[in-house]
Amino acid sequence: MPNTQQLQDLTTQVRRDILRMVHKVNSGHPGGSLGCTEFFVALYQNIMDRKDTFEMDGIGEDLFFLSNGHISPVFYSVLARSGYFPVDELNTFRLINSRLQGHPTTHEGLPGVRVASGSLGQGFSVALGAAETKKLNKDSHLVYSLHGDGELQEGQNWEGIMYAAANKVDNIISTIDLNGQQIDGATDDVLPMGSLKAKFEAFGWTVVTIEKGNDIEAILKGMAEAKSLTGKGKPVCVLLETVMGNGVDFMMHTHAWHGKAPNDEQLAIGLAQNAETLGDY
Amino acid sequence: MKTYTNTGNKDTRSGFGAGLTELGKTNENVVALCADLIGSLKMDDFKANHPERFFQVGIAEANMIGLAAGMTIGGKIPFTGTFANFSTGRVYDQIRQSVAYSDKNVKICASHAGLTLGEDGATHQILEDIGLMKMLPGMTVINTCDYNQTKAATIAIAEHHGPVYLRFGRPKVANFTPENQTFEIGKAVQLTEGTDVTIVATGHLVWEALEASKTLHDKGISAEVINIHTIKPLDDKAILDSVAKTGCIVTAEEHNYLGGLGESVARVLAKHKPTPQEFVATEDTFGESGTPEQLMEKYGLNANAIIKAAETVLKRKY
Ligand SMILES: Cc1ncc(C[n+]2csc(CCOP(=O)(O)OP(=O)(O)O)c2C)c(N)n1
Ligand SMILES: [Mg+2]
């Protein structure tokens, strides 16, 4: 298993991938991607128990579902750098005839993607369905999912959240990217949701909060705790407090880069802040 | 042949924004709702000028449609704004029961329709929305072709009592219809006169049809181009009058051929005057990422595709 330094190195490389991918096509979503980079790296490199064959039958390994599909750049980069498909394919992001669609899909058969996402609010239900199948299959592996905080404003989430506790789906760890931002501004300005911790607990979930959601060690520790809480009759929620745009100073703490690509000059600044550790694609 | 001048590319969604701004000044019953896409829908201006009549609902389209239905009770005229996919498929039953069946005066305004939203890909590119909406009893379905027309339609639907689906798009496209036109719901606009083939187009395909008609003219084919901005209620008479002259027809739309304008036209023709018809539409497929131009080329939704369809349908004419 990679050590913390190796994970850090991968993190800066993934940031470079994200910036270069969205810059090339002048579209895509860097803000949320950058904020979740440490989480994805830790998840795919250390936390999940994955088959090294990259088979996509969903049996005998942990599964991950990205509900907030717009942060596809970080997902694609980490999938590629974990061996699901050639790193060079990142070059085709959002281009016509590519497997790397703007939002992740299974339609083009990209390894690592298990369901389409992009229309928000559907991932809880799908992840819960996969978790139920794991139980039916007597497969003791876990289901992981990631959701945006703004995304939680969609009602379907709460149908799933209610179902999970009622049906004791305790083989799922659902993480919320708590960056406090969405398209039109801060979540607290657009539609304040109050305490998500209190809400999830009221809905019967066990909640783990990771206050330093951009710190690899804090993520590893928090996710290990979350894992230890599975199998106890309750679904587990991780509230991951991240900084949108993390690692690129002018993109941090704002919704401005939710769905906007950097220009040439901004790209150069962003790249200068993230060392090329493993080789650009 | 009558020709049209592009006065400069503009996005139809900005036409919606401008129309809404106008309504803000002229009709105090108009209220606007948006689901975390104010900038994309160009609703910023209305929000700034009338904060008390603007409702940010967050990322919660089902709630938005229900709120809009409720707001009509007591006389408000709600305009909802989000992408076409989240305006229709996402909230179909909410529209069906709370708006259409309950005959509520809600204006469902949908941007980023079709393939031309581009890079975001198929999850966002709805090609089924015209079909979904036209199947709802009582729903008026409008797909405007340029900035000026979208602005005019936005203003006009406030005066029409009943649910309306107004469909427009993301990219900057030719702006060629008159500024400050009056928009008549359900009334087709004949753009050119022709004798060999009728081309009825809606939305972004109207300009493409005009471009196609120029090339056809050079090839000695006289095309009559009709802008069908209202798909429901359809202007049957305009279509029947035209095919009475030309004897064949091409329909063109940024939508699946199943459920789209072409099918509505085919029904009118089958009933009153069976006529050879070719469909310029997507062929029962999802879209994908790419630039708008690349996608319209790949999926056969541009002037070239219309020219080919016209040539094909002419061969079928007897
Ligand atoms: C059903 C649906 N409605 C609206 C959108 C448009 N949209 C894409 S991302 C987004 C904001 C998401 O906020 P959040 O989940 O907090 O993600 P972040 O901006 O933090 O990455 C919206 C409204 C969508 N993709 N799906
Ligand atoms: Mg957020």
Side-chain angles (χ1 to χ4, degrees):
Chain A
M1 218 178 259
N3 61 33
T4 311
Q5 186 56 48
Q6 286 167 316
L7 294 178
Q8 295 291 10
D9 289 348
L10 180 53
T11 300
T12 59
Q13 189 63 53
V14 168
R15 288 212 158 89
R16 293 179 69 87
D17 290 352
I18 294 167
L19 293 169
R20 294 178 64 238
M21 285 162 76
V22 299
H23 169 263
K24 180 178 172 186
V25 289
N26 191 26
S27 74
H29 301 79
S33 293
L34 292 166
C36 290
T37 302
E38 288 86 357
F39 175 75
F40 270 87
V41 165
L43 188 72
Y44 272 81
Q45 297 292 310
N46 281 46
I47 299 164
M48 284 206 296
D49 178 18
R50 296 182 293 110
K51 288 192 282 202
D52 47 21
T53 55
F54 303 109
E55 272 169 282
M56 288 297 293
D57 60 11
I59 293 169
E61 64 172 338
D62 291 346
L63 305 179
F64 172 71
F65 292 91
L66 179 66
S67 186
N68 44 337
H70 59 278
I71 66 168
S72 56
V74 64
F75 190 27
Y76 292 152
S77 167
V78 170
L79 284 178
R81 293 193 179 270
S82 303
Y84 282 86
F85 56 86
V87 174
D88 261 356
E89 210 172 329
L90 296 176
N91 246 320
T92 69
F93 176 61
R94 287 183 166 239
L95 296 182
I96 197 159
N97 300 321
S98 169
R99 297 198 293 178
L100 277 62
Q101 290 291 301
H103 295 77
T105 79
T106 53
H107 197 70
E108 282 76 17
L110 187 71
V113 180
R114 297 184 189 276
V115 74
S117 58
S119 181
L120 295 169
Q122 305 189 21
F124 258 109
S125 306
V126 177
L128 287 164
E132 289 283 37
T133 286
K134 284 220 173 291
K135 291 203 172 213
L136 288 171
N137 287 346
K138 311 226 178 317
D139 179 344
S140 61
H141 286 88
L142 296 175
V143 171
Y144 291 87
S145 62
L146 182 65
H147 314 260
D149 48 1
E151 184 184 12
L152 289 184
Q153 293 160 357
E154 289 284 358
Q156 184 185 343
N157 292 298
W158 301 96
E159 297 177 19
I161 291 163
M162 195 181 308
Y163 173 95
N167 291 281
K168 301 189 172 42
V169 186
D170 60 359
N171 55 343
I172 189 166
I173 300 177
S174 295
T175 299
I176 311 302
D177 173 21
L178 210 60
N179 61 14
Q181 308 285 342
Q182 57 190 104
I183 290 186
D184 283 344
T187 48
D188 276 346
D189 294 329
V190 175
L191 190 76
M193 290 178 283
S195 166
L196 285 175
K197 182 172 192 292
K199 283 192 168 60
F200 272 94
E201 283 174 351
F203 274 69
W205 288 55
T206 301
V207 177
V208 174
T209 300
I210 301 179
E211 283 174 11
K212 290 185 179 167
N214 294 106
D215 177 318
I216 292 270
E217 300 211 326
I219 293 169
L220 292 174
K221 187 165 158 275
M223 293 304 285
E225 186 191 346
K227 206 164 174 172
S228 74
L229 294 166
T230 58
K232 298 190 189 311
K234 282 175 148 197
V236 180
C237 167
V238 173
L239 296 177
L240 185 71
E241 297 181 8
T242 67
V243 174
M244 201 170 196
N246 191 52
V248 178
D249 56 11
F250 61 92
M251 291 189 178
M252 290 169 70
H253 303 287
T254 167
H255 64 277
W257 298 90
H258 161 91
K260 190 171 96 180
N263 63 24
D264 294 351
E265 198 183 318
Q266 292 160 334
L267 173 71
I269 297 170
L271 292 180
Q273 293 172 11
N274 290 279
E276 183 180 349
T277 46
L278 304 170
D280 286 338
Y281 62 82
Chain B
M1 194 179 91
K2 189 162 182 199
T3 55
Y4 290 83
T5 313
N6 175 10
T7 59
N9 284 9
K10 274 181 154 183
D11 45 349
T12 51
R13 56 183 165 143
S14 285
F16 164 68
L20 198 59
T21 296
E22 194 64 31
L23 285 173
K25 292 182 212 148
T26 56
N27 190 333
E28 62 182 21
N29 280 326
V30 167
V31 297
L33 300 86
C34 187
D36 195 23
L37 286 171
I38 296 172
S40 294
L41 267 288
K42 308 292 179 187
M43 296 170 95
D44 328 60
D45 212 42
F46 186 95
K47 181 189 175 205
N49 293 328
H50 311 284
E52 74 294 345
R53 284 196 267 151
F54 180 83
F55 300 84
Q56 165 68 271
V57 304
I59 313 170
E61 296 80 10
N63 189 44
M64 176 166 73
I65 296 295
L67 285 168
M71 285 175 171
T72 63
I73 301 165
K76 297 302 167 214
I77 308 172
F79 282 61
T80 65
T82 180
F83 293 163
N85 186 25
F86 315 135
S87 293
T88 58
R90 179 77 184 198
V91 290
Y92 197 63
D93 192 43
Q94 283 78 14
I95 295 175
R96 185 176 181 274
Q97 174 173 293
S98 304
V99 177
Y101 186 44
S102 302
D103 192 22
K104 293 291 177 264
N105 194 21
V106 174
K107 315 303 170 187
I108 300 161
C109 303
S111 183
H112 293 53
L115 292 175
T116 49
L117 73 81
E119 290 83 356
D120 271 348
T123 51
H124 289 50
Q125 288 161 337
I126 194 157
L127 295 163
E128 309 95 50
D129 54 326
I130 291 175
L132 286 171
M133 290 297 114
K134 80 178 188 184
M135 280 197 297
L136 289 171
M139 182 67 71
T140 294
V141 179
I142 297 171
N143 186 189
T144 46
C145 67
D146 71 355
Y147 173 95
N148 286 343
Q149 193 175 64
T150 310
K151 182 178 173 192
T154 303
I155 294 166
I157 61 177
E159 295 299 319
H160 167 87
H161 188 92
V164 174
Y165 179 58
L166 178 63
R167 179 194 213 235
F168 43 92
R170 171 172 187 254
K172 291 194 162 68
V173 295
N175 190 29
F176 60 96
T177 65
E179 219 182 320
N180 303 322
Q181 62 194 281
T182 43
F183 184 91
E184 234 184 293
I185 295 171
K187 184 97 182 74
V189 182
Q190 185 177 322
L191 294 173
T192 66
E193 266 185 60
T195 48
D196 296 329
V197 57
T198 300
I199 304 173
V200 298
T202 191
H204 291 146
L205 270 288
V206 176
W207 178 253
E208 297 296 317
L210 286 172
E211 292 291 288
S213 72
K214 284 194 239 166
T215 309
L216 290 168
H217 179 80
D218 293 344
K219 294 183 174 199
I221 298 166
S222 160
E224 180 150 300
V225 177
I226 296 175
N227 171 7
I228 295 271
H229 51 63
T230 307
I231 291 144
K232 186 187 171 187
L234 192 63
D235 191 342
D236 299 9
K237 185 170 180 304
I239 294 163
L240 291 168
D241 286 351
S242 183
V243 298
K245 273 194 295 180
T246 62
C248 67
I249 190 166
V250 172
T251 52
E253 61 196 306
E254 191 180 346
H255 191 272
N256 194 350
Y257 71 83
L258 294 170
L261 164 69
E263 273 195 357
S264 289
V265 169
R267 179 189 159 276
V268 172
L269 296 175
K271 216 172 140 152
H272 302 284
K273 187 180 189 304
T275 304
Q277 176 181 358
E278 288 292 322
F279 298 75
V280 171
T282 57
E283 306 210 349
D284 202 17
T285 178
F286 290 104
E288 65 176 294
S289 295
T291 66
E293 299 74 31
Q294 288 173 333
L295 294 167
M296 296 301 258
E297 175 66 27
K298 176 169 176 178
Y299 291 86
L301 300 182
N302 54 18
N304 278 336
I306 295 171
I307 293 164
K308 267 196 220 131
E311 289 171 340
T312 306
V313 82
L314 274 165
K315 287 192 199 118
R316 291 175 51 204
K317 191 159 99 172
Y318 31 86

